[in-house]
Amino acid sequence: MFRGSRDQCDLVMNVSAADRCAFVRSTEDCRLVDGFLSYLRLVFCLLPPSLSPLTVTLCMMWLLCLFVVLGLTASKFFCPNLSAISTTLRLTHNVAGVTFLALGNGAPDVFSAMAAFSHPHTAGLAVGALFGAGIFVTTVVAGGVALVKPFTVASRPFLRDVIFYMAAVFWTYLILYRGTIELGETLGYLGLYAIYVITVIISAFIYNRQKHSSPTTIQNRSSTLPDPVSSDSDAEVLSSSTVSDDPEYEEEYRPLLPYSESTTHILLSSLNPVDLRKWRRSSWRWRLLKALRAPLEVLLLLCVPVVDPDKEDRNWRRPLNCLHLVTAPLVCVLTFQSGAYGTYLIQGQLPVWLLALLPGVLLAAIMFCTTANDRPPPYHSLLALLGFVVSAVLISAVASEVVSLLHMLGVVLSLSNTVLGLTVLAWGNSIGDCFADITIARQGYPRMAISACFGGIIFNMLFGVGLGCLVRIFQTHNAVQLEPAGLLTWVLAGSLGLSLVLSFVTVPLCRFHLSRAYGVFLLLFYAAFLAVALLTEFGTIHLT
């Protein structure tokens, strides 16, 4: 009945409940699964139709858990290891900020976009998520920062970031209009970000040279014009104020007499994600969230090493780090490409997971026998590279799971991938940045918060589309074909372009001062955009 149908998975809700399982099994579009689970078969084949509402509810709760895993892996493991790598390479704050740290902050968005671009029928998720996150960050997050702490934005970095972001968005407009992405255009995305990085470095060099050549002039202007590169002055003040408090706090709890911890005690304490002192001081809400996240943190601590250059021992935990040499390769093999190589046999005899396990056990034994508990080895920094690889593979696997789950929800709820991308996926990947930036602004550093708003979405747009399409081109050896852009896509693209143009014109007219009135305007703009997008999705607004 359904033989030979392709790219028609959205039509499954048009057939009777008894025939939906056969439709899912015979339709090519429904069999393209990048995650560990086939959620369409779970909904239509494994469970009775009467339980579909319950199944969808449970899947949405599972989606929330996946977003928590994404955020936790990126913030607790991916970003610290990237910071350690940039410190080991002795990169400047500006270079590290627009390369490694930008990758750390935008990892969920970039990996989600790469997973979505892996198939043409989910590419709308990537476009919706990147554009949706862009308009969410430039309106809701920036408006929230302006409401919490009105301030004068640094003029040159603001104009630089808006101009580069408008160039990236316009480039994406052209690709959506054509419906195809060639290799040269994909490399152009990555090249544009390289130009952005070079511009930031040159700006930093020029500013520092002016600062040293005329310190009096710069000092007089410093009260009204901050560092025009990336607000590193705010970041240094924040980090120095935070670090200055830690030694005194730790000194109070430091033992009077030195003692040597046992290996077992070090292992158990390293796997404990709860700080008892912070637990006693925190509210019940924080304790509840921490208790729910603790099992996941323990599992991640078992698999992902973390190197912290700010600590005296660089977070060296001898028994746990030796265990990481065993667990980390196994996790990479079992989760790479959603477990595609977990059961693969080399020449039909040797499993890949065993090939990863044996060298890990050997290296772990060598490390355990040649190191001490109280002193990290000279090669300890290499564990940061291992932690970076493992956390990147985990984030990629979870992002693929999120895309597969959203595709199922779109089919069941009869929603387009674009609207799911601009709402659920964009909100899920951006809500953490929203709270973080508003908290930073509330602490008195709004310039750093607004720099993070624009700097992060430039990276996400250029690398999300660039890397996602580049991987797809290498896999298929053909240009990436996109689904025809519907009215909703152009509403999304036009709204993002309009918000950037308004910011580019309005902020200089206000002498680069972001007031509370401007913050309210941005929030109302996002509310109007969201209303128009939803009305377009449900057919109330349409082209005649």
Side-chain angles (χ1 to χ4, degrees):
M1 177 178 178
F2 306 110
R3 185 180 303 275
S5 57
R6 288 178 177 270
D7 299 326
Q8 299 294 322
C9 195
D10 293 342
L11 301 178
V12 66
M13 300 305 295
N14 296 339
V15 302
S16 63
D19 295 330
R20 288 173 183 172
C21 181
F23 184 94
V24 169
R25 291 181 181 274
S26 59
T27 304
E28 182 70 19
D29 186 22
C30 299
R31 294 202 301 266
L32 295 175
V33 178
D34 282 337
F36 287 92
L37 301 175
S38 176
Y39 294 100
L40 288 169
R41 292 193 179 187
L42 175 67
V43 173
F44 296 116
C45 297
L46 299 181
L47 298 174
S50 58
L51 294 180
S52 294
L54 177 61
T55 305
V56 172
T57 303
L58 293 177
C59 286
M60 295 183 73
M61 296 175 62
W62 174 235
L63 180 63
L64 178 62
C65 294
L66 290 177
F67 280 127
V68 173
V69 175
L70 273 178
L72 185 63
T73 307
S75 61
K76 295 290 186 179
F77 299 90
F78 192 71
C79 289
N81 283 313
L82 283 178
S83 179
I85 292 174
S86 63
T87 302
T88 303
L89 297 177
R90 298 181 180 179
L91 300 179
T92 63
H93 291 291
N94 299 295
V95 177
V98 296
T99 53
F100 285 105
L101 297 184
L103 175 59
N105 294 332
D109 303 87
V110 173
F111 282 104
S112 297
M114 292 176 63
F117 273 117
S118 61
H119 293 297
H121 64 273
T122 57
L125 277 174
V127 175
L130 293 174
F131 277 14
I135 192 171
F136 180 84
V137 169
T138 56
T139 56
V140 175
V141 179
V145 170
L147 281 175
V148 169
K149 194 77 173 179
F151 68 103
T152 300
V153 69
S155 58
R156 282 179 287 180
F158 176 81
L159 294 177
R160 177 200 65 208
D161 292 345
V162 171
I163 290 173
F164 270 95
Y165 193 46
M166 285 195 297
V169 171
F170 180 73
W171 198 324
T172 310
Y173 289 168
L174 297 180
I175 289 176
L176 288 176
Y177 179 76
R178 291 178 51 197
T180 182
I181 304 178
E182 304 286 346
L183 178 61
E185 296 167 335
T186 302
L187 296 177
Y189 273 95
L190 304 179
L192 182 60
Y193 192 78
I195 296 174
Y196 174 73
V197 172
I198 294 174
T199 304
V200 171
I201 297 174
I202 294 176
S203 301
F205 175 78
I206 294 175
Y207 176 77
N208 291 329
R209 187 173 182 178
Q210 291 176 348
K211 184 177 180 180
H212 292 299
S213 62
S214 55
T216 305
T217 305
I218 299 297
Q219 184 176 3
N220 293 334
R221 297 174 57 193
S222 62
S223 58
T224 57
L225 184 61
D227 187 344
V229 179
S230 61
S231 298
D232 286 334
S233 57
D234 286 345
E236 291 172 0
V237 170
L238 181 61
S239 60
S240 62
S241 63
T242 304
V243 173
S244 62
D245 295 337
D246 288 341
E248 298 178 1
Y249 180 77
E250 295 294 336
E251 186 70 25
E252 181 180 352
Y253 294 93
R254 185 171 297 177
L256 296 177
L257 298 176
Y259 74 99
S260 178
E261 292 181 301
S262 65
T263 301
T264 304
H265 184 268
I266 293 175
L267 178 61
L268 295 178
S269 62
S270 301
L271 292 175
N272 182 17
V274 180
D275 186 347
L276 295 180
R277 297 190 294 265
K278 188 175 182 179
W279 179 274
R280 298 189 190 100
R281 300 193 313 268
S282 302
S283 63
W284 67 269
R285 296 183 184 87
W286 184 91
R287 294 183 184 183
L288 178 61
L289 292 176
K290 189 67 176 180
L292 294 176
R293 291 170 48 182
L296 175 61
E297 290 190 50
V298 172
L299 291 177
L300 290 174
L301 286 171
L302 279 170
C303 305
V304 186
V306 178
V307 178
D308 190 352
D310 295 330
K311 291 185 178 180
E312 185 178 354
D313 60 354
R314 299 176 63 85
N315 201 37
W316 165 247
R317 302 292 183 265
R318 176 170 167 251
L320 182 59
N321 290 147
C322 293
L323 184 61
H324 285 150
L325 295 180
V326 179
T327 58
L330 277 178
V331 169
C332 289
V333 171
L334 296 177
T335 58
F336 183 68
Q337 291 189 352
S338 299
Y341 297 95
T343 58
Y344 183 78
L345 298 177
I346 299 177
Q347 294 184 348
Q349 297 179 349
L350 181 63
V352 176
W353 64 265
L354 183 60
L355 186 63
L357 177 64
L358 294 178
V361 172
L362 178 62
L363 292 176
I366 294 174
M367 177 185 285
F368 190 82
C369 295
T370 58
T371 56
N373 289 334
D374 56 349
R375 187 173 62 256
Y379 52 82
H380 181 229
S381 298
L382 293 177
L383 290 179
L385 182 60
L386 177 62
F388 161 74
V389 173
V390 179
S391 54
V393 172
L394 286 174
I395 292 174
S396 177
V398 177
S400 298
E401 206 71 16
V402 168
V403 170
S404 298
L405 187 53
L406 285 176
H407 180 236
M408 182 274 293
L409 291 176
V411 171
V412 174
L413 301 177
S414 299
L415 295 174
S416 66
N417 288 325
T418 303
V419 76
L420 285 173
L422 72 91
T423 54
V424 180
L425 189 55
W427 294 342
N429 288 336
S430 303
I431 196 68
D433 296 334
C434 177
F435 287 121
D437 292 340
I438 292 178
T439 300
I440 291 174
R442 188 172 295 164
Q443 292 175 351
Y445 304 97
R447 294 187 183 92
M448 184 168 58
I450 207 70
S451 297
C453 289
F454 285 93
I457 55 178
I458 294 174
F459 179 87
N460 296 345
M461 174 69 74
L462 295 176
F463 262 69
V465 178
L467 284 181
C469 295
L470 187 63
V471 171
R472 180 64 179 167
I473 289 174
F474 283 152
Q475 289 176 346
T476 61
H477 303 288
N478 292 314
V480 177
Q481 301 293 330
L482 301 177
E483 293 180 344
L487 179 59
L488 179 59
T489 303
W490 296 118
V491 168
L492 176 59
S495 299
L496 178 57
L498 180 60
S499 68
L500 292 175
V501 171
L502 289 176
S503 297
F504 185 74
V505 174
T506 305
V507 173
L509 291 178
C510 297
R511 297 183 179 181
F512 297 95
H513 180 73
L514 301 185
S515 61
R516 286 191 173 90
Y518 183 72
V520 172
F521 165 75
L522 291 178
L523 295 178
L524 293 177
F525 182 91
Y526 184 79
F529 150 74
L530 195 60
V532 172
L534 294 178
L535 291 175
T536 303
E537 171 67 15
F538 295 117
T540 305
I541 299 177
H542 54 84
L543 294 176
T544 57

